[in-house]
Amino acid sequence: MTPASFSSPLSRRRLLGAVGAAGAAGAAGLLGAGPAAAATASGGRGPAALVIHNARVFTGTAGGGAPVEAVAVGRDGKILAAGSGSAVRRHAGRDTDVVDARGNTVMSGIHDGHVHPLGAGDRSLRPSLEGAETTLPELRELLTGFLADTGGAGAEPDRWLVVEDWNPVGLLPTGSVPHHSMLDALATRRPVALVGGDGHNIWVNRRALDIAGITAATPDPVGGRIVKGADGQPTGVLKDDAQDLVKRHVPEPSRAELVAACAKVLEQAAASGVTTMMDALVGRHELELYQALAAAGKLPQRIVPAIRLDAGQTKDPAAALAYARGLRREFEGVRGLRFGMVKVFLDGVIEYPAQTAALLEPYLDGNGRPTANRGELYTSAADYGRLTAAFNKAGWQLHAHGLGDRAVRTALDGYAYAHRVTGQRDARNAIAHLQIVDPADLRRFAQLGVAACMQLQWAAEDTWTMDALLPYIGPQRHRWMYPARSLERAGARLTGGSDWPVDALQVWNQLRTAIDRQGAYGTGELHRELEGLSRSSVLRMHTAGTAWQLRQEGLTGTVEQGKAADLVLLDRDVTRCPVADISGTGVRMTLVGGRVVHDADSEAGRAAVARAARAGSGPRPAAYAAVHGGRHHACGH
């Protein structure tokens, strides 16, 4: 290969043909493979399928050394070499495709350690309020339009209107309390349900309550609450697991509709640079969808499904383990899936008015006075410890939803118990969200080998962290919001996730916010001087760190010889550009196991980029105006 051809631009036709076909064979064996399978280097046999040069390669490995300028990808889907341009050149042959990175970053693909991609696909099939704040007349006008758009008179009286991204604190004037009578005034007999963007609330009309059989005599389910008025009658608002009393009556989209919608959002994730995802809420329904996507060749990422266990299952570890093993046996042959994770909710959300996150000290009333509310803890430390021990013994990992400091401590206490009784030192259990962590618990993460899985796109001053939170927890606890740097200094393994579709999937703004604690949409920096991370820490957190959490660090997460070629080529150098510019990063190309799953210059790639841009362009917080998305929409509560 001549120097001239080495510096030539990418031939898209050849790349998608030669590399895509060659990489697919390698990827077929790599998707779902464990670290041992990936640890064997490809040996450099034959010329590379692809060489990317003139790059600033972020390898993600420890230590210094000479700058890495080029990467060669073998025809088996593994990295042949990463080094200087001259060193990598020898792996190129006449049929090698060559990409000029133009001085921009090549790095491991993003590993999303807590996400709900199928929830994003499902949600895309329904109208959305985009978290907006409205007066009651404005809300009724919007809903009237949705009624017309979803069938109009032809949908009367039985077709459900389900609307996503209702803002539970968004009814104006501030302090207005939702009631089914407000929805009953709509000119329809149809059942109406507004699904909270926080995932922990649903607001329904009287018709929906009647269909669900919810009356004053209906007891609260375990882990949920039917909100009732002073008269003892249901108001139409249901919290946490009580939502299922209504949701079970809502007809599901067809399988074909869901598969098509999910395929599009997975393309969107690939266009954002995501190559591995830990789906943090999985049951049979989701596994069947993954099975259908894989069969259709529409599953571009590696997926680690976390099987959800409800509060009742946590009290019977043997039965819970049998349930998880049964699902694994049934679906472990699906290419692209790798089992070994279960998910448990320990608490809810912290923002006013939900305030279901479990706190060590009570919430305040907004004027500095303690209330009697410390939130809700769905599982005790004793039960969680016994559950963790049973699963860890069997080789499984636990992934806990823990927002409040009491939930975080409960998880750590459970992990400590499991550590004592099993003797295992590398269980790699995790706690997700970590919105508030008591400083006394920081060192326990490293001591117990617990992954701190953080969603740092929320670590900015905005309506959620200021208006809906600061008055209700006070400045002393508020300082410990998303304590990323404190955890890092205490030796914790930081891992990253988006929790999409809780918020729009904006991977690169997420990384930027972890650094400057403001991001593109914050109104100020949230304790940046105390908790902001370095650029290299953030890049490792969302690549090698999360790969470690998911037990695939031998396969992916760094750019090294023998690793799977799960790579992204960006449109800028994120290792050097101004921090604020990281938000706008574009992904030119994404590879999984050497197979091109996103090419920004292709027709499909352009469409995926456009969808990602639209999904991330909704209204953003400005005091209590137009909150986009919410907290834990897809977390199953």
Side-chain angles (χ1 to χ4, degrees):
M1 185 173 193
T2 66
S5 63
F6 185 74
S7 61
S8 65
L10 168 65
S11 165
R12 294 290 173 181
R13 181 186 62 80
R14 289 181 59 211
L15 174 64
L16 292 175
V19 179
L30 283 170
L31 286 168
T40 304
S42 55
R45 295 172 183 163
L50 169 69
V51 166
I52 307 174
H53 74 110
N54 189 22
R56 178 165 291 276
V57 180
F58 180 79
T59 65
T61 58
V68 178
E69 305 166 332
V71 179
V73 177
R75 299 180 187 275
D76 59 357
K78 298 180 183 179
I79 296 171
L80 278 173
S84 67
S86 58
V88 172
R89 180 178 295 133
R90 67 174 183 269
H91 295 283
R94 288 184 301 173
D95 295 329
T96 298
D97 287 291
V98 177
V99 177
D100 182 354
R102 305 168 193 162
N104 298 320
T105 298
V106 171
M107 58 182 284
S108 162
I110 296 297
H111 293 51
D112 196 323
H114 187 107
V115 64
H116 310 275
L118 303 187
D122 180 56
R123 192 178 74 169
S124 71
L125 295 171
R126 290 180 289 279
S128 171
L129 286 168
E130 300 290 356
E133 285 193 329
T134 64
T135 63
L136 184 55
E138 290 169 340
L139 176 63
R140 286 177 178 155
E141 182 179 359
L142 288 168
L143 296 178
T144 297
F146 291 155
L147 286 165
D149 292 342
T150 56
E156 295 288 345
D158 296 325
R159 181 175 172 183
W160 282 78
L161 173 66
V162 180
V163 181
E164 298 288 346
D165 294 322
W166 163 56
N167 183 353
V169 297
L171 194 59
L172 300 176
T174 301
S176 299
V177 179
H179 193 274
H180 66 77
S181 60
M182 300 172 178
L183 303 179
D184 296 341
L186 292 166
T188 183
R189 293 173 293 164
R190 294 166 62 180
V192 176
L194 309 187
V195 181
D198 61 357
H200 293 252
N201 292 271
I202 191 170
W203 177 18
V204 302
N205 65 356
R206 166 59 71 182
R207 179 75 194 288
L209 289 172
D210 291 343
I211 289 172
I214 297 172
T215 69
T218 305
D220 289 338
V222 175
R225 181 160 68 93
I226 301 167
V227 178
K228 296 175 181 176
D231 59 359
Q233 297 295 322
T235 66
V237 176
L238 299 98
K239 294 181 176 292
D240 296 324
D241 284 349
Q243 296 177 90
D244 292 337
L245 299 176
V246 167
K247 287 184 174 180
R248 67 178 59 148
H249 296 279
V250 179
E252 295 287 341
S254 71
R255 176 59 54 83
E257 289 173 328
L258 274 175
V259 169
C262 291
K264 286 184 178 180
V265 299
L266 292 175
E267 289 175 357
Q268 178 185 332
S272 300
V274 179
T275 55
T276 289
M277 291 188 280
M278 198 284 281
D279 189 325
L281 188 72
V282 169
R284 174 176 297 278
H285 171 71
E286 289 77 17
L287 292 172
E288 288 174 346
L289 275 178
Y290 279 125
Q291 187 176 50
L293 286 161
K298 300 291 186 180
L299 188 56
Q301 288 88 8
R302 306 176 193 274
I303 304 293
V304 178
I307 297 170
R308 183 196 173 180
L309 303 178
D310 62 31
Q313 287 174 300
T314 64
K315 296 182 181 299
D316 190 342
L321 182 58
Y323 166 73
R325 281 172 161 169
L327 288 177
R328 180 177 63 182
R329 281 194 300 270
E330 187 172 351
F331 293 98
E332 63 185 347
V334 176
R335 188 173 68 85
L337 301 187
R338 183 178 60 77
F339 288 85
M341 189 86 65
V342 292
K343 162 77 174 292
V344 175
F345 286 92
L346 295 184
D347 66 346
V349 294
I350 196 169
E351 293 87 5
Y352 177 87
Q355 296 183 332
T356 51
L359 300 184
L360 293 169
E361 299 296 330
Y363 289 91
L364 306 179
D365 63 1
N367 295 306
R369 294 185 295 270
T371 68
N373 179 28
R374 290 202 301 147
E376 300 178 25
L377 192 63
Y378 302 136
T379 300
S380 70
D383 284 342
Y384 194 63
R386 287 188 287 268
L387 182 80
T388 301
F391 274 90
N392 287 172
K393 283 180 182 178
W396 291 68
Q397 299 166 262
L398 267 290
H399 189 90
H401 166 119
L403 272 96
D405 51 10
R406 183 160 61 108
V408 173
R409 182 166 294 176
T410 296
L412 291 169
D413 287 348
Y415 294 151
Y417 170 84
H419 179 79
R420 288 195 302 271
V421 301
T422 67
Q424 292 189 7
R425 299 185 178 276
D426 193 30
R428 302 192 195 182
N429 300 309
I431 308 174
H433 308 317
L434 302 168
Q435 194 159 355
I436 294 183
V437 180
D438 189 277
D441 289 323
L442 294 172
R443 293 190 178 278
R444 300 181 70 195
F445 284 80
Q447 291 166 356
L448 296 169
V450 173
C453 182
M454 307 189 82
Q455 289 62 55
L456 293 179
Q457 74 270 33
W458 302 329
E461 288 189 1
D462 59 21
T463 187
W464 295 101
T465 59
M466 304 305 292
D467 305 81
L469 189 55
L470 178 57
Y472 303 100
I473 63 171
Q476 185 173 353
R477 283 183 289 184
H478 194 268
R479 173 264 172 271
W480 293 102
M481 289 274 292
Y482 304 114
R485 194 195 303 178
S486 294
L487 282 163
E488 182 181 51
R489 285 176 170 172
R493 294 261 198 168
L494 298 184
T495 75
S498 67
D499 212 2
W500 179 45
V502 172
D503 205 353
L505 184 67
Q506 294 186 315
V507 167
W508 302 98
N509 185 58
Q510 173 183 324
L511 271 65
R512 174 236 174 129
T513 308
I515 300 168
D516 70 8
R517 306 281 289 199
Q518 179 171 347
Y521 306 103
T523 57
E525 298 174 352
L526 185 69
H527 310 307
R528 177 183 185 177
E529 70 285 358
L530 298 171
E531 300 300 347
L533 295 171
S534 71
R535 193 180 312 220
S536 60
S537 289
V538 170
L539 292 173
R540 289 190 178 93
M541 172 182 181
H542 291 85
T543 53
T546 307
W548 178 86
Q549 172 193 325
L550 303 180
R551 292 192 180 278
Q552 66 178 53
E553 75 277 14
L555 178 66
T556 65
T558 56
V559 183
E560 300 178 85
Q561 181 183 12
K563 292 284 186 77
D566 288 19
L567 304 171
V568 291
L569 168 60
L570 308 180
D571 68 353
R572 66 199 66 192
D573 181 6
V574 296
T575 69
R576 288 187 172 184
C577 70
V579 170
D581 290 351
I582 297 174
S583 291
T585 299
V587 179
R588 290 175 59 194
M589 184 170 64
T590 305
L591 289 86
V592 175
R595 180 169 60 97
V596 176
V597 297
H598 168 68
D599 173 7
D601 288 345
S602 70
E603 183 177 353
R606 288 192 293 270
V609 169
R611 286 196 298 273
R614 287 195 299 272
S617 63
R620 289 286 168 170
Y624 265 114
V627 179
H628 176 78
R631 292 293 187 262
H632 307 101
H633 165 87
C635 279
H637 278 264

